[in-house]
Amino acid sequence: MEEPARIGIVDMGSNAIRFLIAEGCSDEHRVLETHRQPVRLGDAVFRTGDVPDSAIADTVAAFEQFRDRCDQLGVGRRRAVATSAMRNARNRARVLDRVLEASGFAIEVISGVEEARLLMLGIEREVDLSAGRSVLLDVGGGSAEVVIIDEGDLVSATSYPLGALRMLQQFREEDGARLASRVTEHLKLHDRQITDLLGDAPAARFVAAGGNIQSLLELVRLRSGTLRVDSVDACAIEDLGEEVRRVASMSVTERMARHGLRADRADTIVPAGVVYHHLGRLVGAEHVLAPRAGVKEGLLAATLQPDHER
């Protein structure tokens, strides 16, 4: 019988660093705790190409804290991946070396396609993807991953430079409704690529991952009640679009005051929401499903596999 193990997982994203500690084996596991550090690595990278010294120091401190927590809980296996900001950073070797020296974490900088594959692994434990065609979307800080599943089999996994923080930087002179409009026009440049990936088969389900979709669904729930589809939190695509427009009509300060959003959520929620709504309409979905699963859960699932290198 496979012995349960304690595993530490890190998803080093462009907008935040997410940590997870779990115990289990390939068949089942339980999450012991999760942590999120709002280290916005992509903020400078998408403007200047480099991670500044202050962000490097914050990153090292976050990994040192997580290392200490892993030691306290007797975590034997640890794995960390970095995504869009580190893929783009010119000084990424310096960042990775500093983290390794200070905390012992060897960070893997993964491709956008691998990021999309991990997204699928995380979501398929929460949503049944075995019937029909499923479109999965994760809007991170630097990129958006689109995964197409047909009858449970992976058809394609594609990464687009459509992350919420990246677009916030690209259209930094805009705000509110004007920002939403500019992002929508930018997204249309990718419509043909995405529809070509979809082919003629309609989407049976549209599944979204990421902190911004969770925040948007919570706002929809407060206004019109909870909706669940296939035992997963969900909302109608048009309700999502209405909520994005409503939030876009407020300033970032108003979003924080009225909805209690963190600063690093209050500014990215509009561009991220536009991407979720736009793709949902593009694939003809009636609802968006939003399980609480994503890349870090997929990384956990991959690491728990018996044939994974220990």
Side-chain angles (χ1 to χ4, degrees):
M1 178 180 291
E2 187 182 352
E3 290 293 326
R6 287 195 172 180
I7 300 175
I9 293 294
V10 187
D11 172 14
M12 186 176 172
S14 302
N15 200 46
I17 306 176
R18 297 171 179 83
F19 304 94
L20 178 154
I21 296 177
E23 181 178 69
C25 52
S26 57
D27 293 332
E28 61 180 17
H29 68 264
R30 63 189 179 101
V31 174
L32 302 180
E33 57 186 51
T34 61
H35 306 275
R36 180 184 186 275
Q37 293 288 345
V39 180
R40 190 167 256 189
L41 292 168
D43 191 32
V45 170
F46 300 143
R47 285 186 290 107
T48 70
D50 290 309
V51 181
D53 289 343
S54 59
I56 294 175
D58 290 343
T59 300
V60 169
F63 272 88
E64 288 177 327
Q65 291 174 19
F66 188 57
R67 175 207 59 199
D68 292 344
R69 192 63 187 141
C70 286
D71 290 344
Q72 292 165 10
L73 292 181
V75 171
R77 298 165 61 189
R78 308 175 188 191
R79 192 174 177 198
V81 299
T83 55
S84 185
M86 285 297 96
R87 289 196 292 266
N88 290 177
R90 292 179 303 202
N91 63 339
R92 73 180 189 183
R94 180 166 176 251
V95 178
L96 303 185
D97 288 346
R98 286 280 306 277
V99 170
L100 178 61
E101 180 181 4
S103 70
F105 275 91
I107 302 169
E108 307 165 48
V109 180
I110 60 174
S111 68
V113 172
E114 174 63 7
E115 187 178 353
R117 188 187 73 85
L118 291 176
L119 173 66
M120 179 194 73
L121 292 178
I123 286 178
E124 68 182 3
R125 292 199 169 208
E126 303 294 330
V127 179
D128 184 1
L129 306 176
S130 62
R133 176 155 289 197
S134 304
V135 179
L136 318 182
L137 170 65
D138 183 4
V139 182
S143 60
E145 277 59 56
V146 179
V147 181
I148 299 175
I149 310 294
D150 197 6
E151 305 292 338
D153 294 325
L154 177 65
V155 174
S156 67
T158 310
S159 181
Y160 297 93
L162 300 172
L165 183 57
R166 188 187 295 272
M167 288 188 293
L168 203 61
Q169 294 286 357
Q170 184 171 347
F171 303 114
R172 59 183 177 275
E173 302 300 324
E174 310 292 352
D175 194 13
R178 177 61 181 165
L179 172 64
S181 177
R182 290 291 301 278
V183 171
T184 298
E185 290 304 311
H186 182 64
L187 291 175
K188 289 178 180 178
L189 300 176
H190 298 270
D191 282 1
R192 180 61 182 271
Q193 293 173 271
I194 296 172
T195 53
D196 285 348
L197 284 175
L198 289 171
D200 296 328
R205 64 192 61 79
F206 173 54
V207 188
N212 280 300
I213 193 64
Q214 295 294 337
S215 295
L216 285 164
L217 256 68
E218 177 62 17
L219 295 179
V220 171
R221 185 190 69 79
L222 291 173
R223 288 174 63 82
S224 56
T226 300
L227 175 65
R228 290 179 71 81
V229 175
D230 295 338
S231 301
V232 176
D233 289 341
C235 77
I237 288 293
E238 293 313 311
D239 287 345
L240 174 63
E242 180 181 345
E243 197 62 42
V244 172
R245 289 188 290 272
R246 193 177 68 82
V247 174
S249 70
M250 307 176 194
S251 68
V252 170
T253 302
E254 287 175 321
R255 296 169 204 162
M256 294 170 65
R258 293 178 61 177
H259 297 308
L261 296 174
R262 299 186 306 269
D264 67 334
R265 179 74 72 221
D267 58 354
T268 58
I269 195 170
V270 170
V274 171
V275 179
Y276 289 121
H277 179 243
H278 184 81
L279 187 64
R281 293 194 66 187
L282 190 63
V283 304
E286 293 185 6
H287 299 95
V288 53
L289 282 67
R292 294 184 180 274
V295 170
K296 70 180 187 298
E297 288 78 15
L299 181 61
L300 173 63
T303 307
L304 282 169
Q305 293 304 309
D307 58 352
H308 183 270
E309 183 179 345
R310 295 175 183 263

